[in-house]
Amino acid sequence: MKTTKRENKSGTVRYLHLAHNEWDPAKGRAVPKVLFTFGREDQLDRDAVKRLVASLSKLLEPGDALAATAASDLEFTSSVPFGGTYALDHLWHQLKIDQIVSRVGQPKRG
């Protein structure tokens, strides 16, 4: 992110830009190239930014997407897929369906 400031009658206004640095051999240094302008910081459409991040995250592996969007002090180490099987097994035992099914078909006393 690159920010620029402009002075107007009501004070300082900050603009947000998506940029990356490109090497300029004539200047002998990296120069930021603006890829997209988000507009004024105080009028930023945060929902649009969230949609953009979600769309770009689809291009990455899940671990890389998490690492890109997580705070810098967090480190992604691994993940274990539990999925629907784990949830259904837990519900099966919590609702005691396993006990009910085991009693079905057994002869009744008396």
Side-chain angles (χ1 to χ4, degrees), residues 17-97:
H17 312 280
L18 178 63
H20 80 278
N21 291 333
E22 288 185 347
W23 184 257
D24 186 351
K27 294 181 179 180
R29 63 181 173 91
V31 177
K33 178 181 177 184
V34 174
L35 302 175
F36 182 78
T37 300
F38 290 99
R40 290 174 53 151
E41 184 178 38
D42 59 340
Q43 298 174 350
L44 181 63
D45 184 358
R46 296 195 183 279
D47 290 332
V49 173
K50 287 178 187 177
R51 288 191 302 272
L52 175 63
V53 170
S55 294
L56 292 173
S57 295
K58 291 177 186 176
L59 301 174
L60 303 174
E61 294 294 324
D64 294 334
L66 178 62
T69 57
S72 61
D73 59 337
L74 298 177
E75 181 181 335
F76 179 78
T77 56
S78 67
S79 68
V80 179
F82 284 115
T85 306
Y86 175 78
L88 290 175
D89 184 60
H90 185 71
L91 283 172
W92 185 271
H93 291 291
Q94 187 174 1
L95 297 173
K96 299 181 180 174
I97 296 173

